[in-house]
Amino acid sequence: MHNWPKESAKKSMKLTTKGRFAVTAMIDVALFNHGEPVTLAEISARQKISLSYLEQLFGKLRRHGLVDSVRGPGGGYNLAKAPGTISVSDIILAVDEPIDTTSCGGEKNCHDDSICLTHHLWASLNAHIFTYLQGVSLQSLVDDAKARKNPSLHVVQDLRKTGTRAVPIAA
Amino acid sequence: MHNWPKESAKKSMKLTTKGRFAVTAMIDVALFNHGEPVTLAEISARQKISLSYLEQLFGKLRRHGLVDSVRGPGGGYNLAKAPGTISVSDIILAVDEPIDTTSCGGEKNCHDDSICLTHHLWASLNAHIFTYLQGVSLQSLVDDAKARKNPSLHVVQDLRKTGTRAVPIAA
DNA sequence: GTATTTCCGAGTAATTTAGTCAAGTTAAAG
DNA sequence: CTTTAACTTGACTAAATTACTCGGAAATAC
């Protein structure tokens, strides 16, 4: 018998390239935000992410309170909180619009005793993934990036071919 | 600075409903395999998975050495190994045909010092997920199912709406 | 007012998944 | 040896989802 971790899952999170782009962009903001707001055009050039797409992503990041925007010339984005207080799970949940599901990933047929065969398994996996991403702060990613020998920070993995699609993840 | 777990990842695994159907079907085989092979028609009826789809799934499970097939009248499928030696990751890798990627999810632009900003993060997450699923045996899922009050085992979660798509997972 | 930059929502193309279908092959039963 | 249940295979399709683009509106500095 497997010892299931407690499943505190409520929402389901998805892991897509969108989330990965968002994390990369947030690292970029954290790295280059020295007083002046960072513009999306800069991020686009450095990280090779299209401006249009960044606009879409940062709209969600802003609405979820992860960045503050400054409009007009000289504007751009600042982190809304200290990077140590922003977790990867925060970023992914912001851009991937998790569906607020009920237990069992929003499905029926899975309550009381007639619980589905794999309910615990997936719920527990979701919880594991979420807990892991929650434990990684933007600060730690920034520190990791700064520690690299070559601080050019220009070349970034092209996420688009890495394998994409989502997974329901406990939140 | 985040303390990255060692990334032993080689292949990338996907988490889809296909993998979940496969796990459910394998539990069904383990539960009802008492001497006689279990037919796909039975599994289809019990777990509400289309016969055609099961054929597709079991073809892969058989080619990956997880089940043995018995043809002809009275035929069906048996587990090829003891359920304690089959892990959930084995099942998912069998049906989801993981691409054997190089480091960094098969991408260029991510080697030596010009390593991408989030390489460690995703590789490590992949390793976490894989390790977790590797640690869950079919036996534990069977024990869990048997422990339920209502052993009818007919009603299973309809995976099709749960949220699907894949994630690259370290293997 | 004009340049810059964010803001917003609709729309679309490509990819991927999930599942079907049809035409076999195999082997046991009688 | 004929029937028949069951597995085998691969091509095919439809739906869903993702990953974007596009056009313009609003705000702010100069």
Side-chain angles (χ1 to χ4, degrees):
Chain A
M1 181 81 54
H2 196 270
N3 184 22
W4 297 108
K6 49 215 158 290
E7 40 174 296
S8 51
K10 289 293 187 303
K11 295 179 183 177
S12 88
M13 184 163 106
K14 299 189 287 185
L15 276 182
T16 65
T17 58
K18 183 187 289 190
R20 295 198 245 175
F21 275 126
V23 172
T24 299
M26 286 291 282
I27 296 172
D28 188 279
V29 172
L31 280 171
F32 293 97
N33 188 5
H34 306 301
E36 304 288 290
V38 180
T39 71
L40 295 188
E42 293 172 50
I43 301 173
S44 175
R46 277 192 295 259
Q47 307 301 338
K48 307 298 181 206
I49 305 172
S50 88
L51 180 59
S52 305
Y53 202 31
L54 283 173
E55 288 173 354
Q56 189 184 105
L57 296 178
F58 274 79
K60 293 182 177 183
L61 292 172
R62 183 181 54 81
R63 283 189 287 275
H64 281 81
L66 297 180
V67 295
D68 288 329
S69 65
V70 179
R71 303 177 82 157
Y77 289 93
N78 297 302
L79 294 181
K81 305 189 288 186
T85 67
I86 298 176
S87 71
V88 173
S89 61
D90 292 335
I91 298 170
I92 292 179
L93 288 174
V95 299
D96 268 328
E97 299 285 353
I99 304 159
D100 191 351
T101 56
T102 58
S103 67
C104 200
E107 285 310 301
K108 303 82 189 163
N109 303 350
C110 191
H111 33 294
D112 300 337
D113 43 334
S114 70
I115 195 169
C116 66
L117 260 32
T118 56
H119 175 102
H120 284 139
L121 173 62
W122 308 122
S124 165
L125 172 62
N126 288 345
H128 265 261
I129 296 173
F130 177 73
T131 298
Y132 177 69
L133 292 180
Q134 197 175 35
V136 180
S137 71
L138 187 57
Q139 182 69 57
S140 70
L141 295 173
V142 168
D143 290 344
D144 193 62
K146 283 181 178 170
R148 303 267 168 59
K149 276 186 298 189
N150 181 349
S152 63
L153 298 167
H154 289 311
V155 180
V156 178
Q157 177 185 11
D158 182 348
L159 296 167
R160 276 161 292 192
K161 293 168 193 156
T162 305
T164 50
R165 313 315 132 191
V167 142
I169 294 179
Chain B
M1 181 79 54
H2 196 268
N3 185 23
W4 298 108
K6 49 216 158 290
E7 40 175 296
S8 52
K10 288 296 185 304
K11 296 179 183 178
S12 86
M13 182 163 108
K14 299 189 287 183
L15 276 183
T16 65
T17 59
K18 183 187 288 189
R20 296 199 244 174
F21 276 126
V23 172
T24 299
M26 286 290 282
I27 297 172
D28 188 278
V29 172
L31 280 172
F32 293 95
N33 189 4
H34 306 301
E36 304 287 290
V38 179
T39 70
L40 295 188
E42 292 172 50
I43 300 173
S44 175
R46 277 193 294 260
Q47 307 301 338
K48 307 299 180 206
I49 304 172
S50 89
L51 181 59
S52 304
Y53 203 32
L54 283 173
E55 287 171 353
Q56 191 184 106
L57 296 177
F58 274 78
K60 294 183 176 182
L61 292 172
R62 185 183 56 79
R63 282 188 290 275
H64 282 81
L66 297 180
V67 295
D68 288 328
S69 64
V70 180
R71 305 177 79 152
Y77 288 94
N78 296 304
L79 294 181
K81 304 189 288 186
T85 67
I86 299 176
S87 71
V88 173
S89 62
D90 292 335
I91 299 170
I92 292 179
L93 288 174
V95 299
D96 268 328
E97 298 287 353
I99 303 157
D100 192 351
T101 57
T102 59
S103 69
C104 200
E107 286 308 303
K108 302 83 190 164
N109 303 349
C110 191
H111 33 293
D112 301 336
D113 44 335
S114 71
I115 194 169
C116 66
L117 258 32
T118 55
H119 175 102
H120 284 139
L121 173 63
W122 307 123
S124 165
L125 172 63
N126 288 346
H128 265 261
I129 295 173
F130 177 73
T131 298
Y132 178 69
L133 292 180
Q134 197 175 35
V136 180
S137 72
L138 188 55
Q139 183 68 59
S140 70
L141 294 173
V142 168
D143 290 344
D144 193 62
K146 283 181 178 171
R148 303 268 169 59
K149 276 186 296 187
N150 182 349
S152 63
L153 298 166
H154 289 311
V155 181
V156 179
Q157 177 185 10
D158 182 350
L159 296 167
R160 275 161 294 192
K161 294 168 192 157
T162 305
T164 51
R165 312 316 131 191
V167 143
I169 295 179

